[in-house]
């Protein structure tokens, strides 16, 4: 058995490990092209909707699973094998880098991330541990296993954006109104910016580790940004998300930026530096394109991802089919369209329905 250093190529060598999948439909569309078939994948495609996921996770804590290379690689691969999607997304979580850095944060099943001590003071922010790339080495190892095993299916890495991460830390767990976060943002802006900047650095370190290990694209999840006004988003959030997206630009791989309830924020989210913007189900894709173009007429034509309402997958197939056809039609207004849901797969979703959506999209 070679020593780890002999097995682990240098970051430069690892960066060259990236597969040449430039012809893959997901990457062609992400770069604003028209592939020979419409690409489709699903946010949270790995997860409790799959019996094989539930079997594998039996008795394994969520965050422990995220630090076991072979396990996270298998979980990532399950939806690719079952549905024939055009991209894999790394099985991880937005709180993984915080846990890796030593923060006392956990995931409560059915609820989400919970921190022992909400982060609301200058001292608590200063005490936040900084992430060392070595602390996410098991995730990077999982990426390398996937790069070697996924064949021509691109692998998407991801991180949580500063605002969404900050909300979990400040609120102490999931929050409907993010009131403590907004209060701190407005009453102690210097403190807010210090926290958001620290979280931007954490996201950057986590993404760079995934990129060096060979992911083909990255997605920045700012899931809860839709809670903000455009004014607050631009003042308090955009600069920090922009730091993350700019920080990974040199890798030359597509950067997807996504949030929920972001209809008013979409042009600003693209301005933050995204190559692709993920759109939720509340706004038609052609309307989203109109907003991008109105906001930045001289920018390159936008690439969009989405935007089927995940809840519809639990209803009748005839509705799903007509909605997918509508979304594909509206997506033609963009330079490139990656079909996806408008948010993650809901746990009670029948996996067969997801497979049928892939077949339908590939037939259009
Ligand atoms: C907000 C957010 C989180 N984590 C994430 C986000 C942004 C994506 C989104 O908005 O849906 C990122 C994430 N977390 C997970 C994925 C799936 C990755 C993949 O499909 O391979 C993704 C993309 C695994 C997970 N992360 C989590 C699960 C459920 C854990 C389980 O299996 O019990 C999974 C599969 C836990 C988690 N983690 C988080 C929440 C809110 C929850 C609870 C979800 C629930 O219980 O309904 C925080």
């Amino acid at each position: 058995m070679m020593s780890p250093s002999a097995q682990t190529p240098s970051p430069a060598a690892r960066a060259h490990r990236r597969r040449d999948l430039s012809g893959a439909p997901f990457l062609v569309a992400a770069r604003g092209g028209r592939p020979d078939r419409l690409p489709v994948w699903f946010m949270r495609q790995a997860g409790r909707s799959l019996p094989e996921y539930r079997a594998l996770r039996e008795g394994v804590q969520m965050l422990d699973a995220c630090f076991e290379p072979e396990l996270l690689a298998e979980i990532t691969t399950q939806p690719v094998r079952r549905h024939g999607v055009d991209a894999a997304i790394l099985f991880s979580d937005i709180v993984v880098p915080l846990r890796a850095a030593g923060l006392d944060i956990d995931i409560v099943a059915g609820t989400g991330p919970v921190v022992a001590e909400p982060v609301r003071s200058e001292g608590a922010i200063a005490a936040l541990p900084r992430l060392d790339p070595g602390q996410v080495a098991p995730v990077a190892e999982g990426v390398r296993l996937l790069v070697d095993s996924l064949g021509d299916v691109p692998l998407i890495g991801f991180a949580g954006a500063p605002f969404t991460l900050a909300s979990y830390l400040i609120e102490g767990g999931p929050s409907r109104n993010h009131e403590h976060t907004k209060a701190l943002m407005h009453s102690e802006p210097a403190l807010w910016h210090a926290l958001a900047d620290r979280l931007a650095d954490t996201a950057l370190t986590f993404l760079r580790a995934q990129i060096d290990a060979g992911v083909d694209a990255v997605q920045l999840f700012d899931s809860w940004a839709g809670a903000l006004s455009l004014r607050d988003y631009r003042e308090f959030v955009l600069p920090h998300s922009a730091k993350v997206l700019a920080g990974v630009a040199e890798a030359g791989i597509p950067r997807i930026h996504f949030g929920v309830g972001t209809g008013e924020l979409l042009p600003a989210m693209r301005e933050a530096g995204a190559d692709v913007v993920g759109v939720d189900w509340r706004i038609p894709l052609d309307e989203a394109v109109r907003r991008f173009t109105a906001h930045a007429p001289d920018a390159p034509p936008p690439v969009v991802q989405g935007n089927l309402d995940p809840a519809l997958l639990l209803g009748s197939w005839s509705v799903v089919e007509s909605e997918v056809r509508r979304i594909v039609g509206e997506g033609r207004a963009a330079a490139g369209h990656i079909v996806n849901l408008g948010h993650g797969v809901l746990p009670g979703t029948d996996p067969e329905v997801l497979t049928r959506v892939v077949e339908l999209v590939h037939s259009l």
Side-chain angles (χ1 to χ4, degrees):
M1 182 71 164
M2 284 187 293
S3 68
S5 56
Q7 277 177 321
T8 311
S10 69
R14 282 205 294 271
H16 292 309
R17 277 171 65 99
R18 199 174 332 287
R19 302 169 288 174
D20 175 13
L21 299 180
S22 49
F26 167 81
L27 292 174
V28 171
R31 297 188 194 283
R34 294 273 186 228
D36 52 7
R37 83 172 185 199
L38 209 47
V40 53
W41 70 279
F42 306 108
M43 288 181 281
R44 289 188 184 270
Q45 61 193 16
R48 286 166 304 186
S49 66
L50 302 184
E52 58 269 35
Y53 167 82
R54 297 196 298 267
L56 218 46
R57 275 282 320 280
E58 195 70 42
V60 180
Q61 287 298 309
M62 169 70 206
L63 284 178
D64 294 341
C66 294
F67 289 90
E68 291 184 22
E70 291 78 7
L71 181 56
L72 76 89
E74 173 55 21
I75 293 174
T76 302
T77 308
Q78 287 177 337
V80 176
R81 193 182 295 133
R82 176 189 270 264
H83 302 310
V85 285
D86 295 288
I89 179 168
L90 184 68
F91 178 74
S92 186
D93 195 88
I94 62 171
V95 305
V96 159
L98 297 172
R99 171 73 161 250
L103 191 71
D104 186 355
I105 187 166
D106 203 352
I107 287 180
V108 175
T111 304
V114 174
V115 286
E117 293 295 324
V119 174
R120 296 180 187 166
S121 68
E122 188 170 356
I125 291 168
L128 277 177
R130 290 185 185 281
L131 178 66
D132 175 278
Q135 293 170 316
V136 287
V139 180
E141 180 53 28
V143 169
R144 281 192 289 277
L145 291 174
L146 284 159
V147 163
D148 292 342
S149 65
L150 279 173
D152 60 358
V153 178
L155 175 62
I156 305 166
F158 74 86
F163 171 74
T164 292
L165 287 176
S167 173
Y168 282 114
L169 297 186
I170 297 169
E171 304 296 337
S175 168
R176 188 182 305 280
N177 303 306
H178 311 273
E179 55 271 30
H180 296 292
T181 306
K182 293 182 175 183
L184 188 141
M185 193 181 264
H186 284 277
S187 61
E188 303 196 70
L191 225 43
W192 161 261
H193 286 295
L195 173 59
D197 188 56
R198 289 290 293 274
L199 294 171
D201 289 343
T202 299
L204 259 178
T205 303
F206 189 41
L207 286 176
R208 284 173 174 150
Q210 297 173 58
I211 290 167
D212 287 350
V215 297
D216 305 288
V218 291
Q219 179 154 328
L220 186 64
F221 280 96
D222 205 355
S223 302
W224 312 134
L228 295 164
S229 67
L230 178 57
R231 178 195 313 272
D232 285 353
Y233 180 82
R234 297 192 73 86
E235 179 176 353
F236 296 109
V237 174
L238 198 163
H240 302 292
S241 296
K243 177 179 181 179
V244 180
L245 291 167
V248 295
E250 63 184 344
I253 59 176
R255 298 160 298 170
I256 307 167
H257 196 189
F258 167 78
V260 180
T262 52
E264 303 307 314
L265 311 182
L266 291 172
M269 288 178 71
R270 187 170 185 236
E271 190 184 313
D275 302 301
V276 182
V277 178
V279 184
D280 80 10
W281 63 89
R282 294 176 177 86
I283 174 175
L285 293 176
D286 53 350
E287 171 55 26
V289 170
R290 270 193 291 280
R291 294 187 186 187
F292 289 130
T293 310
H295 178 77
D298 301 334
V303 180
V304 296
Q305 175 175 269
N307 68 330
L308 178 66
D309 182 346
L312 297 184
L313 294 169
L314 290 112
S316 76
W317 172 251
S318 61
V319 171
V320 172
E321 179 173 4
S322 63
E323 283 291 282
V324 168
R325 290 180 185 278
R326 172 182 64 79
I327 287 162
V328 167
E330 290 163 356
R332 291 200 183 95
H337 179 202
I338 300 164
V339 179
N340 205 316
L341 306 177
H343 197 187
V345 171
L346 296 173
T349 303
D350 175 356
E352 293 300 313
V353 174
L354 291 169
T355 306
R356 280 187 80 179
V357 169
V358 173
E359 290 162 355
L360 172 60
V361 169
H362 287 167
S363 72
L364 299 179

